[in-house]
Amino acid sequence: MRAAERAGWDHRFAQGHGFIGADAPELRRLAEAIRPRPGARALDVGCGLGTYAAALAALGCDTLAVDWADAAVAATRDRYADLEPRLRTALLDFEDTDAVAATLPRGSFDIVTMRLVLAFMSDKQAATDRVRDLLAPGGVWMVTTPLAHRLPEERRGIGLTSEDVALVTDGWARGEWYDLERAGLRCLLLRS
């Protein structure tokens, strides 16, 4: 199943289609919520077509955009070549614990973003633990996601359940959230 999923996402990204696009107000809220300092180290997990990664790089962050789909990594690299060297890309399956440990140094990021990704991960606790391990002290994890209870029954698999939200928000020094009205998404900001 995982290979078929990857092929489907590769095809989608190769055609230039993402999931739900991030608009200018969403990107403005991202900048206001995170308030990155120039030179902050950012990781965008599941970068898709690279909108969040490009926004972070444009704000002066040293940004690494990763995705498990070759076409997503290529699209981000090609669309935002003008942002290099502040924006780099890499093929990485964030659910592969060994690959993450071999590729990304512990405590090396000030910001980690996941837009429309976490709900698709099979082990949300493991993903949360990986993010905690990658964040520098005082770092922030921003999760942008639909909430399952707000979705029609047949689409609930693309959102986080209330149990998922409780699991990923537990144990952070500070947490806050806001909703994006246009897309019906919730943004969780969790600070270490």
Side-chain angles (χ1 to χ4, degrees):
M1 178 70 170
R2 200 127 157 95
E5 282 181 280
R6 188 181 315 249
W9 282 109
D10 256 334
H11 177 74
R12 185 174 182 81
F13 292 130
Q15 300 298 313
H17 302 294
F19 201 39
I20 300 169
D23 62 6
E26 179 178 346
L27 297 176
R28 193 169 34 257
R29 291 289 306 266
L30 166 76
E32 291 167 359
I34 293 178
R35 286 176 258 122
R37 62 173 169 68
R41 299 155 302 170
L43 173 66
D44 184 27
V45 176
C47 66
L49 298 177
T51 310
Y52 266 26
L56 291 166
L59 290 167
C61 296
D62 176 22
T63 306
L64 176 61
V66 300
D67 203 293
W68 73 330
D70 288 315
V73 172
T76 299
R77 183 189 60 239
D78 295 346
R79 285 175 179 226
Y80 301 107
D82 60 319
L83 291 173
E84 290 180 3
R86 281 192 321 269
L87 175 57
R88 297 167 288 110
T89 59
L91 184 64
L92 178 66
D93 181 351
F94 199 75
E95 289 195 275
D96 183 335
T97 303
D98 294 335
V100 170
T103 306
L104 306 173
R106 297 181 74 183
S108 60
F109 295 98
D110 303 300
I111 301 163
V112 175
T113 58
M114 287 186 182
R115 184 179 190 276
L116 308 177
V117 174
L118 188 58
F120 293 98
M121 293 189 174
S122 58
D123 188 341
K124 290 157 188 68
Q125 182 65 62
T128 300
D129 293 343
R130 278 191 284 284
V131 170
R132 280 187 214 274
D133 191 50
L134 293 171
L135 279 174
V140 61
W141 180 24
M142 181 173 200
V143 177
T144 304
T145 184
L147 297 176
H149 73 273
R150 293 182 178 174
L151 297 169
E153 179 101 23
E154 67 275 5
R155 298 190 69 223
R156 290 196 175 148
I158 68 167
L160 291 183
T161 65
S162 55
E163 293 83 9
D164 294 334
V165 171
L167 182 133
V168 301
T169 58
D170 186 46
W172 294 87
R174 198 171 96 209
E176 55 197 86
W177 61 270
Y178 62 88
D179 287 332
L180 298 169
E181 291 181 30
R182 178 192 69 90
L185 301 174
R186 168 119 341 140
C187 297
L188 305 169
L189 286 99
L190 306 168
R191 299 181 192 276
S192 61

